[in-house]
Amino acid sequence: MTVSRHTLSVLIENKPGALTRFTGLLARRGFNIDSLAVGTTEIEEISRITVVVDVRDTPLEQVTKQLNKLINVIKIVELAPEQSVRRAHVIFKVKADPQARAHIASTCELFRAHIIDVSADAVCVEATGEQSKLDALRRVLEPFGIREIVQSGTVAIGRGGKSISDKALRN
């Protein structure tokens, strides 16, 4: 059984229950949601869902056709890695005695991360970037002792001047 990961950008009506119907259909079809980010768009009545799904046996095309049939879905686009910009946001709470803080601070500098809170025995480190960068930062911070992690879903947008809403919202 092979697993492939796909990033979908979805325009959906900003109405109660729309997200539940969307994620419910993915769950019923056996798709694992690896990442989910939802927010309003430049048009108040429309939300944008960025969802990263693990596809096992069902072809992605079959599920996107079913998702397109949902009444609140306006448009679905798969964002290929080479044709999009992707970012996630993470905060790590790391054990940090006074001696470890200098090492953690220099690690943060290498990864363009920031220490956003300091207490007697811990620091909070914030980073934004591609998932692979955040995973690498996690591996480097693990020896210090990670106490907690909170991470956003991936957000992604297509490269270039075209917009997902160019044709979808002018009908």
Side-chain angles (χ1 to χ4, degrees):
M1 175 168 44
T2 59
V3 177
S4 61
R5 191 170 273 154
H6 299 270
T7 302
L8 301 176
S9 185
V10 181
L11 294 180
I12 192 165
E13 292 176 3
N14 190 4
K15 294 191 175 177
L19 179 61
T20 302
R21 286 187 289 280
F22 181 85
T23 57
L25 193 145
L26 289 174
R28 285 191 303 278
R29 299 296 177 245
F31 282 60
N32 182 48
I33 297 174
D34 187 59
S35 171
L36 180 69
V38 183
T40 56
T41 65
E42 62 280 5
I43 300 165
E44 193 175 311
E45 301 82 24
I46 296 175
S47 290
R48 183 179 183 138
I49 300 171
T50 304
V51 60
V52 179
V53 292
D54 290 339
V55 179
R56 297 192 190 279
D57 299 322
T58 310
L60 181 67
E61 182 182 353
Q62 178 184 353
V63 175
T64 56
K65 284 180 181 179
Q66 292 171 347
L67 288 169
N68 269 314
K69 291 179 184 177
L70 291 175
I71 192 163
N72 300 113
V73 171
I74 298 166
K75 186 173 183 178
I76 301 174
V77 173
E78 182 176 3
L79 296 172
E82 63 280 355
Q83 296 171 345
S84 61
V85 179
R86 303 153 187 257
R87 295 290 182 268
H89 181 238
V90 66
I91 301 173
F92 299 99
K93 185 182 288 184
V94 182
K95 290 182 193 175
D97 58 29
Q99 294 87 6
R101 284 196 193 117
H103 295 294
I104 294 171
S106 62
T107 298
C108 289
E109 202 172 305
L110 289 171
F111 282 89
R112 294 186 186 156
H114 305 281
I115 294 176
I116 57 171
D117 186 61
V118 178
S119 66
D121 59 351
V123 295
C124 290
V125 174
E126 174 186 50
T128 302
E130 294 208 18
Q131 192 61 51
S132 58
K133 171 190 164 188
L134 302 180
D135 292 341
L137 176 58
R138 178 182 184 163
R139 286 190 297 276
V140 173
L141 292 175
E142 280 175 344
F144 296 103
I146 295 176
R147 308 269 324 221
E148 260 184 285
I149 299 173
V150 62
Q151 184 165 328
S152 72
T154 297
V155 292
I157 195 164
R159 293 184 185 273
K162 289 185 179 180
S163 168
I164 186 174
S165 58
D166 280 348
K167 292 181 183 174
L169 303 178
R170 294 194 175 88
N171 294 336

